Amino acid sequence: MLIIRPEPLSAEAFRDFGEVIETRGRDHFMINNGSTQRYHRLAEVMLGTPEDRGIISIFRAQRLPMPLDVKMLERHPLGSQAFVPLKQNPFLVLVAPASDEPDPSAIRAFITDGTQGVNYHPGVWHHPVLACVEEDDFLVVDREGEGNNCDEYFFADNTRIQLVHDA
């Protein structure tokens, strides 16, 4: 059995999977007559075709029991997908590099600090949102357009992957 434990989320550690959306350590400039700091372009919405649209949604997620048997991962081949916590609760991120199929030995887990969001690059395998509290809300920015933009991969029954998080 492969046991995965989350590490703290950082831009450096997450670089191969996408961008960390956070203000800490990021440049900003003043707008609105000096009353607002703008942290510009923290992540890029990636769309597959000119006809695609970037959309904003809210996902309300329920906490799953831990340890979690990881049975599947998904990816979005035609666009990026960003998750930003609305209630400043930490959440878990489980990812694997973009490839034809996710490699269990390459899966990594991260825990956010509640102020960080993530933007998955197109094709990066990830687990559906993993809340750390009973119910949590996330602002989600992703792609809407023609074509299937959600591939799901289910691991074989003899592949045991477990995410362990002591919250």
Side-chain angles (χ1 to χ4, degrees):
M1 178 186 324
L2 176 63
I3 300 203
I4 301 170
R5 296 183 187 279
E7 60 187 274
L9 180 66
S10 71
E12 178 67 28
F14 197 70
R15 182 178 325 277
D16 292 339
F17 310 106
E19 297 130 339
V20 174
I21 302 169
E22 65 183 333
T23 59
R24 183 179 29 253
R26 303 296 291 269
D27 292 333
H28 67 275
F29 55 90
M30 300 305 292
I31 61 171
N32 298 335
N33 298 312
S35 67
T36 305
Q37 296 174 345
R38 179 173 176 151
Y39 294 86
H40 186 69
R41 199 173 181 169
L42 296 176
E44 184 176 330
V45 179
M46 298 173 195
L47 304 173
T49 71
E51 294 79 28
D52 290 347
R53 295 165 301 284
I55 62 170
I56 298 171
S57 305
I58 292 178
F59 287 16
R60 181 159 291 146
Q62 310 301 310
R63 180 173 58 193
L64 298 176
M66 290 289 161
L68 176 69
D69 287 330
V70 177
K71 304 228 181 255
M72 62 82 70
L73 295 178
E74 65 181 31
R75 68 177 176 179
H76 306 284
L78 303 178
S80 58
Q81 187 179 47
F83 287 83
V84 179
L86 291 177
K87 297 178 179 177
Q88 296 190 329
N89 293 312
F91 66 100
L92 294 164
V93 176
L94 190 70
V95 291
S99 62
D100 290 339
E101 295 181 358
D103 175 3
S105 68
I107 295 173
R108 293 182 64 188
F110 299 94
I111 179 124
T112 72
D113 66 9
T115 67
Q116 299 165 304
V118 296
N119 186 43
Y120 299 119
H121 284 166
V124 167
W125 292 102
H126 61 278
H127 195 279
V129 65
L130 291 165
C132 289
V133 296
E134 287 303 314
E135 182 177 274
D136 211 354
D137 289 344
F138 297 86
L139 182 85
V140 178
V141 179
D142 60 357
R143 173 206 173 267
E144 181 178 63
E146 294 296 318
N148 179 29
N149 191 34
C150 186
D151 297 332
E152 294 179 330
Y153 181 87
F154 290 86
F155 293 101
D157 289 339
N158 63 348
T159 302
R160 296 281 321 268
I161 304 166
Q162 195 170 70
L163 174 62
V164 176
H165 174 63
D166 304 319

